[in-house]
Amino acid sequence: MTACKPLNKDKLKIGLVSVSDRASQGVYQDQGIPELEAWLKAALTEEFEVETRLIPDEQSVIEQTLIELVDTHACHLVLTTGGTGPAKRDVTPDATLTVAHREMPGFGEQMRQVSLHFVPTAILSRQVGVIRHSSLILNLPGQPKAIKETLEGVKDENGKVLVKGIFSAVPYCLQLLSDIYVETHADICASFRPKSARREK
């Protein structure tokens, strides 16, 4: 097992990885990382640090990037966007599983459940969630609209949540993995944890 830098339990550190051949070559501007950063700033109540990477759809590059963000930069959470479909160049889930120590299948299942409310082609998605050391790695869709949907869930016209998004479970997962305590703004995405795991404000 590769040695990794100890996680800082005081401040959340997030790695954001956009996987795209054309965006990494400058053919068009990446939209994944700006969407993720904007959503996280709106959703999280505390300050956090970010490490960003824009890389091509190369499995070895994706693997090396994920390892670097977890083992060297000690990111508690790594979110990838892009490269999760069935096309030959879509290898983000394959790379993620290769560097994983444990799989968290519920994240991928819930992302597809959420996305199926919007597009029938959500069943073609291969997103996965995994643990490497004490860090959580999640594959998100490539489209900004789909990123927000999978994080927040399905809401009606009044903002009532009909189907929970995946981020509602992320704070408690991070707490279990590294003891870091993260809170979210309930109007964006209400996080859930058992009463026994809640801390007084």
Side-chain angles (χ1 to χ4, degrees):
M1 183 179 293
T2 306
C4 68
K5 184 179 178 181
L7 293 176
N8 182 339
K9 295 183 179 181
D10 298 323
K11 191 171 187 179
L12 177 64
K13 191 167 187 179
I14 305 174
L16 302 178
V17 183
S18 185
V19 182
S20 169
D21 284 333
R22 289 180 291 174
S24 65
Q25 294 167 1
V27 176
Y28 60 75
Q29 189 172 1
D30 173 61
Q31 295 182 318
I33 289 175
E35 174 65 25
L36 284 169
E37 286 189 297
W39 190 89
L40 290 165
K41 286 177 182 177
L44 298 177
T45 60
E46 298 90 6
E47 290 185 359
F48 56 93
E49 296 179 20
V50 171
E51 286 280 344
T52 64
R53 301 289 186 273
L54 176 57
I55 58 175
D57 291 278
E58 296 289 348
Q59 182 164 340
S60 61
V61 176
I62 301 169
E63 290 173 14
Q64 292 166 9
T65 301
L66 297 178
I67 292 171
E68 176 202 2
L69 290 172
V70 172
D71 296 24
T72 303
H73 294 283
C75 291
H76 301 88
L77 173 66
V78 177
L79 302 175
T80 74
T81 173
T84 59
K88 289 183 179 180
R89 296 289 292 174
D90 291 335
V91 293
T92 302
D94 310 270
T96 303
L97 290 170
T98 298
V99 305
H101 295 144
R102 288 187 288 169
E103 189 174 357
M104 297 289 285
F107 283 105
E109 293 166 3
Q110 188 64 11
M111 278 189 269
R112 285 180 282 277
Q113 177 66 23
V114 169
S115 294
L116 276 169
H117 282 77
F118 301 99
V119 289
T121 51
I123 58 174
L124 303 179
S125 165
R126 300 190 302 121
Q127 290 112 309
V128 298
V130 306
I131 294 168
R132 178 176 173 82
H133 297 300
S134 296
S135 302
L136 179 64
I137 304 174
L138 300 174
N139 299 155
L140 297 175
Q143 295 299 318
K145 180 175 181 290
I147 290 172
K148 182 178 180 181
E149 290 166 354
T150 55
L151 291 171
E152 289 187 18
V154 181
K155 299 179 180 180
D156 65 15
E157 62 275 8
N158 298 315
K160 181 182 178 181
V161 177
L162 305 177
V163 181
K164 295 281 188 182
I166 62 163
F167 208 87
S168 59
V170 169
Y172 184 48
C173 184
L174 297 179
Q175 185 177 349
L176 291 172
L177 289 173
S178 59
D179 201 37
I180 192 165
Y181 198 83
V182 179
E183 282 285 9
T184 59
H185 293 291
D187 58 329
I188 302 294
C189 179
S191 58
F192 175 84
R193 51 171 54 90
K195 290 182 179 179
S196 61
R198 296 173 190 168
R199 299 177 184 172
E200 293 184 6
K201 296 182 180 180

